[in-house]
Amino acid sequence: MKLVIAIVNDEDALDLLDELTDKGFRVTKLATTGGFLRSGNTTLMIGVDDEQVKEVLTIIEDNCKTRHQVVSNPSPLSTTTGVYVPYPVDIEVGGATIFVVDVHDFIRV
Ligand code: 2BA
């Protein structure tokens, strides 16, 4: 058994959740925060049999879009004055960041 941990954009999360549950997968949704942007994202935990991993990855890929986001990054105006001015930086976020990990035990009581 595997645990698929998928970090996705909030805007993609509900459609993705719908498709996964419609197809019979069990999913846990967590409200999470990205360490870099410090903004909300969604983490889904999906426990599946080994042979179902490929189908889950395809569903995630179909539902999660890559986005460009402009963030304000403080940069030193001068190293001697220590004055910082924000400047815009374009970064690409997602579609999804996915970890697939082995499950040692799966227990439901
Ligand atoms: P954040 O940490 O908020 O990162 C959002 C986006 O900012 C990243 O998109 C990436 O494009 C950029 N970014 C992150 N760290 C950076 C850095 N040190 N320098 C330059 N740019 C940086 P994604 O790579 O698609 O990641 C989306 C979200 O997935 C992340 O949100 C984080 O919540 C999660 N994530 C990504 N890689 C991870 C990892 N190795 N471990 C745990 N969570 C991860």
Side-chain angles (χ1 to χ4, degrees), residues 24-69:
F25 292 106
R26 291 170 179 245
V27 187
T28 296
K29 174 179 175 291
L30 305 168
T32 46
T33 303
F36 185 70
L37 294 180
R38 309 285 163 95
S39 64
N41 52 27
T42 298
T43 299
L44 300 181
M45 295 197 304
I46 311 144
V48 292
D49 292 331
D50 289 17
E51 58 273 17
Q52 293 176 305
V53 169
K54 207 170 171 198
E55 183 182 357
V56 167
L57 295 183
T58 303
I59 295 170
I60 295 170
E61 202 176 336
D62 289 347
N63 281 276
C64 296
K65 299 168 201 71
T66 300
R67 292 175 174 80
H68 283 266
Q69 201 160 329

Side-chain angles (χ1 to χ4, degrees), residues 7 34-37 41 91-94 97 99:
I7 303 161
F36 185 70
L37 294 180
N41 52 27
I91 56 165
E92 187 179 276
V93 185
T97 299
F99 301 89

